[in-house]
Amino acid sequence: MSSIKKIIVVGSGIAALSFAKTISENCQVIIMTKKQFSSSNSMLAQGGIAAAFSAHDSIQQHVEDTLAAGCDHNDERIVQEIVRLGKHLVEQLVAEGFPFDQHESGVPQLGKEGAHTTHRILHAGGDQTGKTLVQFLKSQLGSHIHLYENHHVIDLLIHEGTCKGVVWKDEKGHVHTMTADAVVLSTGGCGSLYETNTNDPSVTGDGLMMAYRAGAQLVDLEFVQFHPTLLTISGKAVGLVSEAVRGEGAYLEDETGRRIMKGIHPQADLAPRDVVARAIFHEQQLGHHLYLNIHDIPHFSARFPAIYAMCQRAGVDMASGRLPISPGMHFLMGGISVNEYGETTVPSLFAIGEAACTGLHGANRLASNSLLEGLVLGSKAAQRMKQLPKQKETSPAFSIEEVWSVPMLSRTEMSQWMTTYAAIVRDEKGLQTLLHTLQQVSFQQMNVKDITNEQVELSNQWALAVCLVKSALLRTESRGGHYRMDYPKRNDAFWRGKQIVHEKGHMHIMKNERIGAKWNVYS
Ligand code: SIN
C-alpha cells in the first residue's frame, strides 16, 4: 500500500487553494470543481482582506470589530486565532510578492468597509482582490495538486461513519466514485437560494447537504447576510458595488437626495451590513428608490475599475454620480460545524471557507473577513492532515441503482419564495407559509444515473431551504443577519450562546459555552 495520502478537495476558491498551497508534497491532492476552475465566489470578491496593518490598528481592535458586527454570537477564541494567523498569512503573501495595492512609498493602501473602526482592508487590482488572489495562489501550486474541472461531486462515500471518498458525475452524466483518505468540502454557501444574490450561480449549497447526509452538523443557518449595494437596473441586480466604495466616501440617498443612514446608526453609511440592508429594505417598502452617491470619490474609474466597467456596460450615467442599488443575498454565516482545523463531526471529512461555520462571523460577518478565514482555515486543515493516519483500503458501498427524491419545482420558484418570506425581514406567518409551501412540493423518484446535475442541485437547495426556514422560525429573536419583525429585539436571556443544530434529520437548540462568551472566561 502506498504511503502517500490521497485527499479530495471539492471546490476551487481561496480556501481550497490555501489548502492546496500548504499541504505536504507527501499527499496527492485532487481538486474537483463542478464547473470551471474560475466558477467560485472568491473570483467575484471585490472587497479585500482585513488585516491590522495600520499603526493606528491592532489585532485586538480587529477582534473587537468582528465581535461587535457578529452581535455576540462569535466564538472569541476562533476570532482571536483567525485574526492573528490571518495577519501572518497576509504578511507572507506580501513577502511572496502578491500585488496588494500600494501607495507610491510601497506601503499597502488600506481601505475601509462597514463596521470597521479603522482602515484595514487590503485590496488588489482596485476591486479585484479575489480574482488576483485566486490566480496568485494557483500559480504557486506544486505538481502534487491535480485540478479536475467539470467533475460534479454529488455525494460522499461513507463507510462505518467515516468519509472514504466521493461520488461524482461527469459532463455526460455518467456516475463515478473516487476513494480518498480525506475529503475537504470548500463548496461555498447558498446564494442561489435567493432571487437576487452576489454569488456565482454554481453556489447551490451542495457541500452543506452532502455533509448533512453524511451525518455532520449544520449550525446557524438562520444567519444570512444581505449585501446592501447591488447595482440594480430596471429592478434587476447586475452585480456587486463593493462596500469599499462607501469606505471611500460614497453614501446612500433616496430619489430626493435625502441621506437615509443619517441618524440610524453612529457609523451611518458604514454601519454593519445587516443594519444598512434593513434600512434600505425599509425605505424601499415606503416606495423610495435608493442610490449610492459617488460624487465625492476622485478617480472612481481608476480606484474601482471593475465596478466602473460594470456600470458602463449596464448603461449607468456616470456623470450623474448616482448608482441605483438594492440589497441582495451575499453570505451565509452558518454552515457545516467545524473545529479550528476545519474538521467536521464525521471522521476524515473537513469543511473550509463559506461552507464551514467556525464561529468567526457570529450572526453577521465583518466585511473582508471571509478571504481571511479561507486563507487560515485552508492552511490549518492542510497542517492537520499530517497528523491523520492513512486509512485502510475499503470499498465503501455505493450502488449505481441508488434512488434519489427530486423535488418537482423550479429554481426560480424556490428563490422567489425564499426572497419573499426568508430574506432581510422575516416573521412567523411568512416563515410558516414558506415552510408549508416547501413541504407541499411533490417529488419524483429517480435513479442516480438518470438524475441531471441541475436536479442534484435542486435537491440540495430544497433540503437546505427547509433547514434554513426551520431555524429561522425557531430563533424567536433578532440578531445580526436574522431579523424577526415579530421579535425585533435580541433576547440574550434565552438565546445568547445558543445555536440551532441540524443533524441526522433532527433539529435542536444547543448551548455552546464558547459562543458569545469572553474567551478568558472559558479558556
Ligand atoms: C464588498 O466588497 O463589499 C464585499 C466584501 C465582503 O463581503 O467581505
Side-chain angles (χ1 to χ4, degrees), residues 67-74 223 274 363 475-480 482-484 487-497 516:
L67 298 177
C71 303
D72 295 323
H73 193 70
N74 319 65
F223 298 116
D274 58 318
R475 187 172 281 274
T476 46
E477 66 157 357
S478 291
R479 190 182 292 268
H482 170 65
Y483 185 84
R484 286 279 301 256
Y487 296 94
K489 296 229 155 52
R490 246 164 84 158
N491 177 356
D492 278 338
F494 181 78
W495 281 107
R496 190 171 178 141

PDB file of all heavy atoms in Angstrom, residues 67-74 223 274 363 475-480 482-484 487-497 516:
ATOM      1  N   LEU A  67     -16.317  41.008  16.714  1.00  0.00           N
ATOM      2  CA  LEU A  67     -17.294  40.599  17.731  1.00  0.00           C
ATOM      3  C   LEU A  67     -18.504  41.539  17.735  1.00  0.00           C
ATOM      4  O   LEU A  67     -19.647  41.089  17.851  1.00  0.00           O
ATOM      5  CB  LEU A  67     -16.657  40.586  19.125  1.00  0.00           C
ATOM      6  CG  LEU A  67     -15.484  39.622  19.335  1.00  0.00           C
ATOM      7  CD1 LEU A  67     -14.910  39.783  20.742  1.00  0.00           C
ATOM      8  CD2 LEU A  67     -15.920  38.180  19.103  1.00  0.00           C
ATOM      9  N   ALA A  68     -18.234  42.834  17.556  1.00  0.00           N
ATOM     10  CA  ALA A  68     -19.355  43.798  17.571  1.00  0.00           C
ATOM     11  C   ALA A  68     -20.270  43.549  16.373  1.00  0.00           C
ATOM     12  O   ALA A  68     -21.499  43.495  16.512  1.00  0.00           O
ATOM     13  CB  ALA A  68     -18.809  45.222  17.554  1.00  0.00           C
ATOM     14  N   ALA A  69     -19.679  43.345  15.184  1.00  0.00           N
ATOM     15  CA  ALA A  69     -20.505  43.075  13.992  1.00  0.00           C
ATOM     16  C   ALA A  69     -21.262  41.761  14.172  1.00  0.00           C
ATOM     17  O   ALA A  69     -22.417  41.630  13.759  1.00  0.00           O
ATOM     18  CB  ALA A  69     -19.630  43.016  12.744  1.00  0.00           C
ATOM     19  N   GLY A  70     -20.624  40.783  14.814  1.00  0.00           N
ATOM     20  CA  GLY A  70     -21.212  39.438  14.956  1.00  0.00           C
ATOM     21  C   GLY A  70     -22.280  39.333  16.024  1.00  0.00           C
ATOM     22  O   GLY A  70     -22.853  38.268  16.233  1.00  0.00           O
ATOM     23  N   CYS A  71     -22.572  40.446  16.717  1.00  0.00           N
ATOM     24  CA  CYS A  71     -23.679  40.527  17.682  1.00  0.00           C
ATOM     25  C   CYS A  71     -23.557  39.473  18.797  1.00  0.00           C
ATOM     26  O   CYS A  71     -24.544  38.804  19.154  1.00  0.00           O
ATOM     27  CB  CYS A  71     -25.028  40.385  16.996  1.00  0.00           C
ATOM     28  SG  CYS A  71     -25.304  41.588  15.717  1.00  0.00           S
ATOM     29  N   ASP A  72     -22.336  39.322  19.327  1.00  0.00           N
ATOM     30  CA  ASP A  72     -22.106  38.420  20.456  1.00  0.00           C
ATOM     31  C   ASP A  72     -22.537  36.989  20.170  1.00  0.00           C
ATOM     32  O   ASP A  72     -23.024  36.275  21.057  1.00  0.00           O
ATOM     33  CB  ASP A  72     -22.821  38.938  21.724  1.00  0.00           C
ATOM     34  CG  ASP A  72     -22.228  40.256  22.171  1.00  0.00           C
ATOM     35  OD1 ASP A  72     -21.001  40.416  22.048  1.00  0.00           O
ATOM     36  OD2 ASP A  72     -22.999  41.129  22.617  1.00  0.00           O
ATOM     37  N   HIS A  73     -22.367  36.588  18.921  1.00  0.00           N
ATOM     38  CA  HIS A  73     -22.653  35.187  18.602  1.00  0.00           C
ATOM     39  C   HIS A  73     -21.387  34.508  18.076  1.00  0.00           C
ATOM     40  O   HIS A  73     -21.438  33.421  17.527  1.00  0.00           O
ATOM     41  CB  HIS A  73     -23.798  35.123  17.568  1.00  0.00           C
ATOM     42  CG  HIS A  73     -24.374  33.755  17.411  1.00  0.00           C
ATOM     43  ND1 HIS A  73     -25.136  33.137  18.374  1.00  0.00           N
ATOM     44  CD2 HIS A  73     -24.266  32.844  16.395  1.00  0.00           C
ATOM     45  CE1 HIS A  73     -25.491  31.933  17.960  1.00  0.00           C
ATOM     46  NE2 HIS A  73     -24.967  31.724  16.764  1.00  0.00           N
ATOM     47  N   ASN A  74     -20.235  35.171  18.264  1.00  0.00           N
ATOM     48  CA  ASN A  74     -18.977  34.604  17.764  1.00  0.00           C
ATOM     49  C   ASN A  74     -18.327  33.713  18.820  1.00  0.00           C
ATOM     50  O   ASN A  74     -18.616  33.831  20.008  1.00  0.00           O
ATOM     51  CB  ASN A  74     -17.958  35.715  17.443  1.00  0.00           C
ATOM     52  CG  ASN A  74     -18.584  36.906  16.755  1.00  0.00           C
ATOM     53  OD1 ASN A  74     -19.407  37.601  17.325  1.00  0.00           O
ATOM     54  ND2 ASN A  74     -18.179  37.145  15.538  1.00  0.00           N
ATOM     55  N   PHE A 223     -28.695  32.694   9.940  1.00  0.00           N
ATOM     56  CA  PHE A 223     -27.939  33.944   9.801  1.00  0.00           C
ATOM     57  C   PHE A 223     -27.456  34.124   8.362  1.00  0.00           C
ATOM     58  O   PHE A 223     -26.458  33.517   7.947  1.00  0.00           O
ATOM     59  CB  PHE A 223     -26.776  33.977  10.795  1.00  0.00           C
ATOM     60  CG  PHE A 223     -27.238  33.936  12.226  1.00  0.00           C
ATOM     61  CD1 PHE A 223     -26.930  32.878  13.055  1.00  0.00           C
ATOM     62  CD2 PHE A 223     -28.022  34.974  12.743  1.00  0.00           C
ATOM     63  CE1 PHE A 223     -27.372  32.839  14.370  1.00  0.00           C
ATOM     64  CE2 PHE A 223     -28.474  34.946  14.049  1.00  0.00           C
ATOM     65  CZ  PHE A 223     -28.148  33.873  14.868  1.00  0.00           C
ATOM     66  N   ASP A 274     -26.000  44.292   8.201  1.00  0.00           N
ATOM     67  CA  ASP A 274     -27.398  43.948   8.469  1.00  0.00           C
ATOM     68  C   ASP A 274     -28.203  45.216   8.725  1.00  0.00           C
ATOM     69  O   ASP A 274     -29.351  45.339   8.281  1.00  0.00           O
ATOM     70  CB  ASP A 274     -27.503  42.968   9.652  1.00  0.00           C
ATOM     71  CG  ASP A 274     -26.887  43.500  10.930  1.00  0.00           C
ATOM     72  OD1 ASP A 274     -25.804  44.099  10.869  1.00  0.00           O
ATOM     73  OD2 ASP A 274     -27.487  43.320  12.008  1.00  0.00           O
ATOM     74  N   ALA A 363     -23.298  36.268  14.132  1.00  0.00           N
ATOM     75  CA  ALA A 363     -24.595  36.424  13.473  1.00  0.00           C
ATOM     76  C   ALA A 363     -24.513  37.359  12.274  1.00  0.00           C
ATOM     77  O   ALA A 363     -25.499  37.541  11.557  1.00  0.00           O
ATOM     78  CB  ALA A 363     -25.612  36.957  14.477  1.00  0.00           C
ATOM     79  N   ARG A 475     -35.715  30.507  15.927  1.00  0.00           N
ATOM     80  CA  ARG A 475     -34.997  31.575  16.653  1.00  0.00           C
ATOM     81  C   ARG A 475     -35.936  32.767  16.828  1.00  0.00           C
ATOM     82  O   ARG A 475     -36.040  33.635  15.961  1.00  0.00           O
ATOM     83  CB  ARG A 475     -33.702  31.977  15.950  1.00  0.00           C
ATOM     84  CG  ARG A 475     -32.864  32.955  16.793  1.00  0.00           C
ATOM     85  CD  ARG A 475     -31.494  33.217  16.225  1.00  0.00           C
ATOM     86  NE  ARG A 475     -30.535  32.174  16.499  1.00  0.00           N
ATOM     87  CZ  ARG A 475     -29.790  32.082  17.601  1.00  0.00           C
ATOM     88  NH1 ARG A 475     -29.880  32.986  18.552  1.00  0.00           N
ATOM     89  NH2 ARG A 475     -28.946  31.093  17.759  1.00  0.00           N
ATOM     90  N   THR A 476     -36.568  32.830  17.975  1.00  0.00           N
ATOM     91  CA  THR A 476     -37.571  33.869  18.236  1.00  0.00           C
ATOM     92  C   THR A 476     -36.901  35.099  18.849  1.00  0.00           C
ATOM     93  O   THR A 476     -37.186  35.504  19.992  1.00  0.00           O
ATOM     94  CB  THR A 476     -38.654  33.312  19.178  1.00  0.00           C
ATOM     95  OG1 THR A 476     -37.979  32.639  20.243  1.00  0.00           O
ATOM     96  CG2 THR A 476     -39.592  32.387  18.456  1.00  0.00           C
ATOM     97  N   GLU A 477     -36.000  35.666  18.105  1.00  0.00           N
ATOM     98  CA  GLU A 477     -35.338  36.923  18.471  1.00  0.00           C
ATOM     99  C   GLU A 477     -34.746  37.488  17.185  1.00  0.00           C
ATOM    100  O   GLU A 477     -34.771  36.831  16.132  1.00  0.00           O
ATOM    101  CB  GLU A 477     -34.208  36.690  19.482  1.00  0.00           C
ATOM    102  CG  GLU A 477     -33.047  35.890  18.904  1.00  0.00           C
ATOM    103  CD  GLU A 477     -31.709  36.090  19.607  1.00  0.00           C
ATOM    104  OE1 GLU A 477     -31.612  36.904  20.540  1.00  0.00           O
ATOM    105  OE2 GLU A 477     -30.739  35.436  19.182  1.00  0.00           O
ATOM    106  N   SER A 478     -34.198  38.713  17.258  1.00  0.00           N
ATOM    107  CA  SER A 478     -33.470  39.289  16.123  1.00  0.00           C
ATOM    108  C   SER A 478     -32.021  39.467  16.538  1.00  0.00           C
ATOM    109  O   SER A 478     -31.725  39.976  17.615  1.00  0.00           O
ATOM    110  CB  SER A 478     -34.072  40.638  15.736  1.00  0.00           C
ATOM    111  OG  SER A 478     -35.354  40.437  15.189  1.00  0.00           O
ATOM    112  N   ARG A 479     -31.128  39.025  15.659  1.00  0.00           N
ATOM    113  CA  ARG A 479     -29.690  39.127  15.939  1.00  0.00           C
ATOM    114  C   ARG A 479     -28.984  39.097  14.590  1.00  0.00           C
ATOM    115  O   ARG A 479     -29.176  38.166  13.795  1.00  0.00           O
ATOM    116  CB  ARG A 479     -29.264  37.943  16.818  1.00  0.00           C
ATOM    117  CG  ARG A 479     -27.859  38.030  17.397  1.00  0.00           C
ATOM    118  CD  ARG A 479     -27.516  36.774  18.208  1.00  0.00           C
ATOM    119  NE  ARG A 479     -28.283  36.627  19.440  1.00  0.00           N
ATOM    120  CZ  ARG A 479     -27.909  37.078  20.646  1.00  0.00           C
ATOM    121  NH1 ARG A 479     -26.754  37.680  20.789  1.00  0.00           N
ATOM    122  NH2 ARG A 479     -28.672  36.894  21.702  1.00  0.00           N
ATOM    123  N   GLY A 480     -28.189  40.130  14.320  1.00  0.00           N
ATOM    124  CA  GLY A 480     -27.396  40.149  13.095  1.00  0.00           C
ATOM    125  C   GLY A 480     -28.222  39.915  11.840  1.00  0.00           C
ATOM    126  O   GLY A 480     -29.228  40.583  11.602  1.00  0.00           O
ATOM    127  N   HIS A 482     -30.307  37.760  11.104  1.00  0.00           N
ATOM    128  CA  HIS A 482     -31.634  37.152  11.288  1.00  0.00           C
ATOM    129  C   HIS A 482     -32.523  38.181  11.977  1.00  0.00           C
ATOM    130  O   HIS A 482     -32.368  38.435  13.179  1.00  0.00           O
ATOM    131  CB  HIS A 482     -31.497  35.891  12.143  1.00  0.00           C
ATOM    132  CG  HIS A 482     -32.813  35.315  12.586  1.00  0.00           C
ATOM    133  ND1 HIS A 482     -33.729  34.796  11.701  1.00  0.00           N
ATOM    134  CD2 HIS A 482     -33.370  35.179  13.829  1.00  0.00           C
ATOM    135  CE1 HIS A 482     -34.794  34.361  12.373  1.00  0.00           C
ATOM    136  NE2 HIS A 482     -34.596  34.602  13.663  1.00  0.00           N
ATOM    137  N   TYR A 483     -33.438  38.769  11.216  1.00  0.00           N
ATOM    138  CA  TYR A 483     -34.315  39.797  11.787  1.00  0.00           C
ATOM    139  C   TYR A 483     -35.759  39.326  11.727  1.00  0.00           C
ATOM    140  O   TYR A 483     -36.292  39.060  10.647  1.00  0.00           O
ATOM    141  CB  TYR A 483     -34.159  41.123  11.044  1.00  0.00           C
ATOM    142  CG  TYR A 483     -34.958  42.234  11.697  1.00  0.00           C
ATOM    143  CD1 TYR A 483     -34.438  42.949  12.778  1.00  0.00           C
ATOM    144  CD2 TYR A 483     -36.245  42.525  11.262  1.00  0.00           C
ATOM    145  CE1 TYR A 483     -35.186  43.931  13.406  1.00  0.00           C
ATOM    146  CE2 TYR A 483     -36.999  43.513  11.889  1.00  0.00           C
ATOM    147  CZ  TYR A 483     -36.463  44.211  12.961  1.00  0.00           C
ATOM    148  OH  TYR A 483     -37.204  45.179  13.583  1.00  0.00           O
ATOM    149  N   ARG A 484     -36.386  39.236  12.911  1.00  0.00           N
ATOM    150  CA  ARG A 484     -37.788  38.818  13.004  1.00  0.00           C
ATOM    151  C   ARG A 484     -38.618  40.035  13.377  1.00  0.00           C
ATOM    152  O   ARG A 484     -38.460  40.602  14.457  1.00  0.00           O
ATOM    153  CB  ARG A 484     -37.918  37.739  14.085  1.00  0.00           C
ATOM    154  CG  ARG A 484     -37.386  36.368  13.696  1.00  0.00           C
ATOM    155  CD  ARG A 484     -38.370  35.590  12.857  1.00  0.00           C
ATOM    156  NE  ARG A 484     -39.636  35.385  13.528  1.00  0.00           N
ATOM    157  CZ  ARG A 484     -40.029  34.239  14.081  1.00  0.00           C
ATOM    158  NH1 ARG A 484     -39.248  33.179  14.035  1.00  0.00           N
ATOM    159  NH2 ARG A 484     -41.211  34.134  14.660  1.00  0.00           N
ATOM    160  N   TYR A 487     -40.299  39.537  16.563  1.00  0.00           N
ATOM    161  CA  TYR A 487     -39.389  39.517  17.732  1.00  0.00           C
ATOM    162  C   TYR A 487     -38.234  40.462  17.420  1.00  0.00           C
ATOM    163  O   TYR A 487     -37.110  40.014  17.185  1.00  0.00           O
ATOM    164  CB  TYR A 487     -38.844  38.100  17.991  1.00  0.00           C
ATOM    165  CG  TYR A 487     -39.912  37.093  18.364  1.00  0.00           C
ATOM    166  CD1 TYR A 487     -40.505  36.301  17.383  1.00  0.00           C
ATOM    167  CD2 TYR A 487     -40.318  36.943  19.694  1.00  0.00           C
ATOM    168  CE1 TYR A 487     -41.489  35.372  17.721  1.00  0.00           C
ATOM    169  CE2 TYR A 487     -41.300  36.019  20.028  1.00  0.00           C
ATOM    170  CZ  TYR A 487     -41.880  35.244  19.040  1.00  0.00           C
ATOM    171  OH  TYR A 487     -42.849  34.336  19.383  1.00  0.00           O
ATOM    172  N   PRO A 488     -38.485  41.771  17.392  1.00  0.00           N
ATOM    173  CA  PRO A 488     -37.492  42.693  16.834  1.00  0.00           C
ATOM    174  C   PRO A 488     -36.258  42.935  17.708  1.00  0.00           C
ATOM    175  O   PRO A 488     -35.335  43.613  17.284  1.00  0.00           O
ATOM    176  CB  PRO A 488     -38.292  43.986  16.640  1.00  0.00           C
ATOM    177  CG  PRO A 488     -39.448  43.888  17.567  1.00  0.00           C
ATOM    178  CD  PRO A 488     -39.737  42.445  17.777  1.00  0.00           C
ATOM    179  N   LYS A 489     -36.235  42.376  18.911  1.00  0.00           N
ATOM    180  CA  LYS A 489     -35.095  42.630  19.808  1.00  0.00           C
ATOM    181  C   LYS A 489     -34.275  41.365  20.007  1.00  0.00           C
ATOM    182  O   LYS A 489     -34.760  40.253  19.822  1.00  0.00           O
ATOM    183  CB  LYS A 489     -35.615  43.090  21.179  1.00  0.00           C
ATOM    184  CG  LYS A 489     -36.362  44.398  21.152  1.00  0.00           C
ATOM    185  CD  LYS A 489     -35.832  45.324  22.226  1.00  0.00           C
ATOM    186  CE  LYS A 489     -36.059  46.774  21.922  1.00  0.00           C
ATOM    187  NZ  LYS A 489     -37.418  47.147  21.575  1.00  0.00           N
ATOM    188  N   ARG A 490     -33.062  41.580  20.469  1.00  0.00           N
ATOM    189  CA  ARG A 490     -32.224  40.468  20.892  1.00  0.00           C
ATOM    190  C   ARG A 490     -32.757  39.935  22.200  1.00  0.00           C
ATOM    191  O   ARG A 490     -33.173  40.712  23.052  1.00  0.00           O
ATOM    192  CB  ARG A 490     -30.820  41.003  21.150  1.00  0.00           C
ATOM    193  CG  ARG A 490     -29.779  40.484  20.217  1.00  0.00           C
ATOM    194  CD  ARG A 490     -28.579  41.331  20.302  1.00  0.00           C
ATOM    195  NE  ARG A 490     -27.726  40.922  21.413  1.00  0.00           N
ATOM    196  CZ  ARG A 490     -26.426  41.205  21.457  1.00  0.00           C
ATOM    197  NH1 ARG A 490     -25.860  41.874  20.475  1.00  0.00           N
ATOM    198  NH2 ARG A 490     -25.702  40.824  22.471  1.00  0.00           N
ATOM    199  N   ASN A 491     -32.751  38.622  22.360  1.00  0.00           N
ATOM    200  CA  ASN A 491     -33.175  38.059  23.632  1.00  0.00           C
ATOM    201  C   ASN A 491     -31.994  37.290  24.217  1.00  0.00           C
ATOM    202  O   ASN A 491     -31.872  36.076  24.059  1.00  0.00           O
ATOM    203  CB  ASN A 491     -34.387  37.142  23.410  1.00  0.00           C
ATOM    204  CG  ASN A 491     -34.835  36.447  24.692  1.00  0.00           C
ATOM    205  OD1 ASN A 491     -34.195  36.589  25.734  1.00  0.00           O
ATOM    206  ND2 ASN A 491     -35.917  35.705  24.613  1.00  0.00           N
ATOM    207  N   ASP A 492     -31.117  38.047  24.897  1.00  0.00           N
ATOM    208  CA  ASP A 492     -29.917  37.422  25.446  1.00  0.00           C
ATOM    209  C   ASP A 492     -30.254  36.438  26.568  1.00  0.00           C
ATOM    210  O   ASP A 492     -29.552  35.448  26.757  1.00  0.00           O
ATOM    211  CB  ASP A 492     -28.948  38.486  25.967  1.00  0.00           C
ATOM    212  CG  ASP A 492     -28.114  39.074  24.837  1.00  0.00           C
ATOM    213  OD1 ASP A 492     -27.973  38.403  23.795  1.00  0.00           O
ATOM    214  OD2 ASP A 492     -27.613  40.195  24.981  1.00  0.00           O
ATOM    215  N   ALA A 493     -31.344  36.736  27.282  1.00  0.00           N
ATOM    216  CA  ALA A 493     -31.684  35.885  28.426  1.00  0.00           C
ATOM    217  C   ALA A 493     -31.869  34.439  27.970  1.00  0.00           C
ATOM    218  O   ALA A 493     -31.444  33.503  28.644  1.00  0.00           O
ATOM    219  CB  ALA A 493     -32.950  36.404  29.097  1.00  0.00           C
ATOM    220  N   PHE A 494     -32.473  34.243  26.809  1.00  0.00           N
ATOM    221  CA  PHE A 494     -32.655  32.867  26.344  1.00  0.00           C
ATOM    222  C   PHE A 494     -31.646  32.463  25.274  1.00  0.00           C
ATOM    223  O   PHE A 494     -31.063  31.383  25.317  1.00  0.00           O
ATOM    224  CB  PHE A 494     -34.081  32.646  25.800  1.00  0.00           C
ATOM    225  CG  PHE A 494     -34.267  31.217  25.331  1.00  0.00           C
ATOM    226  CD1 PHE A 494     -34.480  30.208  26.272  1.00  0.00           C
ATOM    227  CD2 PHE A 494     -34.152  30.862  23.983  1.00  0.00           C
ATOM    228  CE1 PHE A 494     -34.588  28.878  25.863  1.00  0.00           C
ATOM    229  CE2 PHE A 494     -34.259  29.532  23.586  1.00  0.00           C
ATOM    230  CZ  PHE A 494     -34.489  28.538  24.531  1.00  0.00           C
ATOM    231  N   TRP A 495     -31.419  33.350  24.273  1.00  0.00           N
ATOM    232  CA  TRP A 495     -30.723  32.896  23.064  1.00  0.00           C
ATOM    233  C   TRP A 495     -29.204  33.077  23.082  1.00  0.00           C
ATOM    234  O   TRP A 495     -28.509  32.471  22.280  1.00  0.00           O
ATOM    235  CB  TRP A 495     -31.296  33.609  21.830  1.00  0.00           C
ATOM    236  CG  TRP A 495     -32.596  33.001  21.371  1.00  0.00           C
ATOM    237  CD1 TRP A 495     -33.838  33.547  21.513  1.00  0.00           C
ATOM    238  CD2 TRP A 495     -32.775  31.734  20.724  1.00  0.00           C
ATOM    239  NE1 TRP A 495     -34.788  32.700  20.988  1.00  0.00           N
ATOM    240  CE2 TRP A 495     -34.157  31.578  20.495  1.00  0.00           C
ATOM    241  CE3 TRP A 495     -31.921  30.712  20.324  1.00  0.00           C
ATOM    242  CZ2 TRP A 495     -34.697  30.452  19.871  1.00  0.00           C
ATOM    243  CZ3 TRP A 495     -32.455  29.587  19.699  1.00  0.00           C
ATOM    244  CH2 TRP A 495     -33.818  29.469  19.482  1.00  0.00           C
ATOM    245  N   ARG A 496     -28.688  33.918  23.974  1.00  0.00           N
ATOM    246  CA  ARG A 496     -27.236  34.133  23.937  1.00  0.00           C
ATOM    247  C   ARG A 496     -26.489  32.803  24.129  1.00  0.00           C
ATOM    248  O   ARG A 496     -26.788  32.031  25.039  1.00  0.00           O
ATOM    249  CB  ARG A 496     -26.809  35.121  25.020  1.00  0.00           C
ATOM    250  CG  ARG A 496     -25.364  35.536  24.826  1.00  0.00           C
ATOM    251  CD  ARG A 496     -24.986  36.673  25.733  1.00  0.00           C
ATOM    252  NE  ARG A 496     -23.577  36.966  25.511  1.00  0.00           N
ATOM    253  CZ  ARG A 496     -23.071  38.163  25.487  1.00  0.00           C
ATOM    254  NH1 ARG A 496     -23.829  39.209  25.669  1.00  0.00           N
ATOM    255  NH2 ARG A 496     -21.780  38.329  25.281  1.00  0.00           N
ATOM    256  N   GLY A 497     -25.534  32.551  23.245  1.00  0.00           N
ATOM    257  CA  GLY A 497     -24.731  31.330  23.352  1.00  0.00           C
ATOM    258  C   GLY A 497     -25.429  30.079  22.842  1.00  0.00           C
ATOM    259  O   GLY A 497     -24.908  28.976  22.963  1.00  0.00           O
ATOM    260  N   GLY A 516     -20.425  33.667  22.198  1.00  0.00           N
ATOM    261  CA  GLY A 516     -20.903  34.849  22.912  1.00  0.00           C
ATOM    262  C   GLY A 516     -20.284  35.031  24.281  1.00  0.00           C
ATOM    263  O   GLY A 516     -20.719  35.884  25.054  1.00  0.00           O
TER     264      GLY A 516
END
